[in-house]
């Protein structure tokens, strides 16, 4: 049983399928996400594949500060992604609402509505940062019990980009370092 | 054919134990070819296997009643029908007993497309229904050409027995028929430029939009098996046998992979046609060719 579980976890890390969702973003991060999926970066080497249906996806990539109109859609799509799943919040808007903070039509940031596993900061983030974030989320897929990010974790995220912020997982094996 | 031979064919070669890894390898060759065409490195060899195992370990949404039953049944039926079709493919022609005939093989090759359509309607998703309707119209239009070509091959060889058809008796009619069948394969495999039924940018994944988990894994496997069955069908009717089983199997595998590379190259080099254009493409070619085929079937009849 342990061997099968190991194989399954290995396969989960090797084949993360994405679903991309825009929750009221300015389209900057969406362009960068599509650029990172395009042939130049060849993410198929990591098994990454952009899927059309949330039912097929493992990783939900959400851009934008979550507007009032898109909130229900975000929650529905999150529910439609089958377990095990991870959420990657792309761009500074999803982390802190960025330039849209304080707007009456914005109800973000994202982690107040659905559990977020990885933040990729930047306005917009570079494609290599996005790929790094997705790769980290793929590692998290084999850790079903993990602590979602909170206000405390995201308060220091710089708006101009930086390292990905990843949710903490308990070390599974003695001596193995957690993902954070 | 002895019962043991039949069971060996179904379970070992070219059945289950050979077919499933081969299907994954064909999916890999398809993806790798497309990647090379786009100047990428592409996925690792085990990628289709990783995808399959990962999907097996994913949760599947529960559907109740008859819908739930059918949603599970269509992918399982597709895989089993394709395995049966693979067992019939005459790589090593054997006479006597039940070796199946061309009509049975064509039926088995045609059923997965019908299951795919029904899956779209069963899922009750709008995208699924649109995808199913597209698949239905494409299948209708490509099948006129496909079936007349198969008919011509059978009539000119004066037999429907697969073991006799596989014997090296290549005539002009045979080659013309096989070329027409190859022309139909992109539509049957839903490859570019005829990938309208699963057009991701328009209708998500078409009939498979609502599928996930193990059922989706079976659909992926069915797609690989379809590759194997259709290319194996064409190759087994075309290559001359050397008499040595190992050499025959090697030539068979090489030609099948070559066909996957050619079709994937065409898929990577073309853009998706709209459904009316793809239907028009097949009707335009198929009416003219079907007349030629039926005439040559009469003329070359033995």
């Amino acid at each position: 049983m342990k061997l099968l579980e190991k194989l399954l976890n290995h396969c989960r890390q090797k084949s993360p399928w994405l679903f991309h969702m825009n929750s009221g973003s300015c389209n900057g991060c969406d362009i960068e996400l599509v650029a990172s999926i395009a042939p130049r970066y060849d993410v198929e080497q990591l098994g990454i594949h952009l899927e059309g249906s949330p039912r097929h996806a493992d990783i939900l990539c959400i851009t934008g500060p979550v507007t009032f109109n898109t909130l229900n859609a975000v929650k529905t799509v999150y529910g439609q992604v089958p377990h095990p799943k991870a959420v990657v919040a792309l761009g500074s808007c999803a982390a802190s609402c960025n330039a849209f903070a304080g707007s009456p039509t914005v109800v973000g940031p994202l982690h107040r509505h659905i559990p977020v596993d990885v933040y990729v900061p930047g306005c917009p983030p570079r494609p290599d940062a996005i790929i790094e974030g997705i790769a980290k989320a793929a590692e998290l897929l084999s850790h079903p019990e993990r602590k979602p990010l909170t206000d405390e974790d995201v308060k220091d995220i710089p708006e101009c980009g930086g390292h990905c912020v990843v949710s903490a997982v308990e070390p599974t094996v003695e001596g193995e370092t957690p993902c954070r | 054919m002895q019962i043991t031979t039949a069971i060996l064919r179904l379970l070992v070669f070219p059945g289950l134990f050979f077919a499933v890894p081969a299907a994954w390898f064909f999916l890999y060759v398809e993806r790798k070819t497309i990647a090379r065409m786009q100047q990428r490195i592409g996925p690792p060899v085990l990628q289709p296997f990783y995808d399959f195992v990962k999907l097996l370990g994913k949760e599947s949404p529960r559907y109740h009643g008859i819908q739930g039953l059918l949603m599970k049944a269509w992918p399982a039926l597709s895989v089993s029908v394709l395995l049966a079709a693979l067992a019939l493919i005459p790589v090593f022609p054997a006479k006597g007993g039940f070796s199946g005939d061309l009509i049975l093989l064509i039926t088995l090759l045609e059923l997965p497309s019908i299951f795919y359509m029904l899956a779209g309607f069963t899922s009750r998703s709008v995208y699924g229904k649109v995808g199913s309707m597209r698949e239905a119209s494409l299948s209708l239009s490509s099948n006129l050409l496909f079936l007349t070509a198969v008919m011509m091959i059978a009539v000119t060889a004066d037999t429907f027995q697969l073991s006799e058809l596989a014997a090296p008796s290549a005539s002009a009619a045979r080659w013309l028929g096989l070329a027409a069948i190859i022309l139909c394969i992109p539509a049957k495999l839903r490859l570019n430029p005829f990938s309208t039924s699963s057009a991701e940018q328009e209708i998500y994944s078409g009939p498979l939009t609502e599928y996930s988990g193990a059922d989706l894994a079976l659909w992926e496997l069915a797609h690989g098996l379809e590759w194997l069955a259709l290319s194996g069908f064409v190759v087994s009717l075309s290559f001359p046998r050397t008499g040595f089983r190992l050499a025959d199997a090697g030539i068979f595998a090489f030609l099948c992979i070559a066909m996957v590379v050619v079709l994937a190259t065409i898929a990577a080099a073309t853009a998706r046609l709209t459904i009316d254009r793809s239907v028009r493409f097949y009707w335009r070619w198929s009416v003219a060719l079907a007349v030629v085929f039926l005439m040559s079937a009469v003329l070359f009849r033995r």
Side-chain angles (χ1 to χ4, degrees):
Chain A
M1 262 343 264
K2 216 155 194 192
L3 194 71
L4 275 182
E5 217 151 86
K6 235 178 171 178
L7 176 73
L8 187 58
N9 282 337
H10 181 66
C11 292
R12 275 176 185 151
Q13 291 179 16
K14 287 280 190 180
S15 127
W17 290 2
L18 310 181
F19 183 76
H20 168 214
M21 188 177 186
N22 180 332
S23 69
S25 143
C26 71
N27 214 26
C29 299
D30 307 86
I31 290 171
E32 295 302 318
L33 175 65
V34 175
S36 53
I37 301 294
R40 187 181 184 94
Y41 291 92
D42 192 15
V43 287
E44 208 180 4
Q45 282 182 60
L46 302 176
I48 298 173
H49 192 255
L50 193 63
E51 277 293 330
S53 162
R55 289 260 192 248
H56 303 182
D58 304 293
I59 296 175
L60 186 57
C61 290
I62 301 190
T63 60
V66 191
T67 58
F68 185 73
N69 277 342
T70 58
L71 178 59
N72 275 337
V74 168
K75 285 182 178 169
T76 311
V77 168
Y78 178 76
Q80 280 172 338
V81 178
H83 281 287
K85 57 187 160 190
V87 177
V88 178
L90 294 181
S92 296
C93 283
S96 64
C97 298
N98 203 3
F100 305 104
S103 160
T105 57
V106 167
V107 292
L110 188 61
H111 65 262
R112 294 195 185 149
H113 304 289
I114 59 172
V116 174
D117 299 297
V118 179
Y119 275 109
V120 183
C123 185
R126 291 181 56 83
D128 17 18
I130 295 177
I131 295 166
E132 188 194 352
I134 291 167
K136 286 194 169 156
E139 281 171 28
L140 293 179
L141 284 173
S142 44
H143 300 279
E145 291 94 30
R146 52 183 184 265
K147 210 172 111 250
L149 296 171
T150 58
D151 277 351
E152 200 55 32
D153 294 311
V154 297
K155 79 170 191 273
D156 296 329
I157 288 183
E159 265 152 34
C160 52
H163 286 294
C164 299
V165 180
V166 185
S167 62
V169 292
E170 294 300 314
T172 46
V173 186
E174 200 67 35
E176 191 181 312
T177 49
C179 288
R180 185 149 178 158
Chain B
M1 193 172 18
Q2 302 276 315
I3 183 84
T4 46
T5 331
I7 290 172
L8 277 180
R9 269 193 174 193
L10 191 62
L11 292 181
V12 185
F13 183 86
L16 200 64
F17 278 98
F18 167 76
V20 172
W24 286 330
F25 184 69
F26 275 39
L27 286 176
Y28 160 73
V29 174
E30 178 197 1
R31 287 172 72 169
K32 184 80 174 175
T33 310
I34 291 173
R36 294 310 301 167
M37 282 291 284
Q38 295 172 344
Q39 301 199 335
R40 293 189 283 126
I41 293 174
V45 186
L46 289 178
Q47 191 59 49
F49 169 74
Y50 292 147
D51 292 347
F52 184 81
V53 175
K54 177 207 75 176
L55 285 172
L56 282 187
K58 267 188 95 76
E59 185 196 42
S60 225
R62 270 189 223 107
Y63 293 95
H64 297 288
I66 194 80
Q67 191 194 6
L69 197 71
L70 288 177
M71 289 278 279
K72 291 230 172 298
W74 301 133
L77 280 172
S78 294
V79 169
S80 39
V81 156
L82 281 164
L83 284 175
L86 278 169
L88 285 181
I89 284 176
V91 187
F92 314 121
K95 288 215 170 91
F98 179 78
S99 53
D101 64 3
L102 194 59
I103 297 173
L104 178 61
L105 180 58
I106 295 300
T107 314
L108 291 176
L109 286 177
E110 208 45 55
L111 278 172
S113 154
I114 294 170
F115 294 148
Y116 184 77
M117 260 178 252
L118 290 171
F121 287 120
T122 313
S123 73
R124 296 190 199 160
S125 136
V126 222
Y127 309 110
K129 284 177 192 166
V130 174
S132 293
M133 284 188 270
R134 288 179 176 192
E135 171 74 12
S137 38
L138 197 58
S139 151
L140 272 182
S141 43
S142 69
N143 266 343
L144 179 69
L145 187 58
F146 185 70
L147 292 180
T148 44
V150 168
M151 222 149 66
M152 179 182 67
I153 289 175
V155 169
T156 50
D158 200 25
T159 177
F160 272 108
Q161 285 298 317
L162 283 169
S163 49
E164 285 173 41
L165 275 171
S169 68
S171 60
R174 168 76 62 97
W175 292 114
L176 193 63
L178 288 176
I181 291 175
I182 292 176
L183 195 66
C184 294
I185 287 182
K188 294 194 168 293
L189 286 171
R190 303 177 281 278
L191 297 177
N192 264 349
F194 306 110
S195 57
T196 38
S197 60
S198 56
E200 241 170 43
Q201 290 83 351
E202 305 162 33
I203 50 170
Y204 301 119
S205 305
L208 307 188
T209 304
E210 289 295 325
Y211 273 94
S212 77
D215 300 328
L216 186 63
L218 284 184
W219 278 120
E220 293 277 321
L221 181 63
H223 185 61
L225 290 173
E226 252 178 330
W227 262 114
L228 191 60
L230 282 168
S231 56
F233 170 61
V234 172
V235 169
S236 70
L237 291 190
S238 64
F239 81 100
R241 306 297 192 279
T242 56
F244 300 104
R245 289 209 153 190
L246 209 62
D248 279 352
I251 297 172
F252 175 77
F254 176 77
L255 288 176
C256 284
I257 291 169
M259 219 168 112
V260 178
V261 171
V262 170
L263 288 175
T265 308
I266 294 171
T270 49
R272 184 181 302 128
L273 291 175
T274 53
I275 182 66
D276 52 326
R277 283 195 183 198
S278 22
V279 167
R280 210 179 300 148
F281 173 87
Y282 277 111
W283 280 107
R284 188 173 288 162
W285 283 94
S286 56
V287 171
L289 282 174
V291 173
V292 173
F293 290 169
L294 292 180
M295 272 164 57
S296 51
V298 175
L299 286 176
F300 292 110
R301 196 172 170 187
R302 267 199 260 151

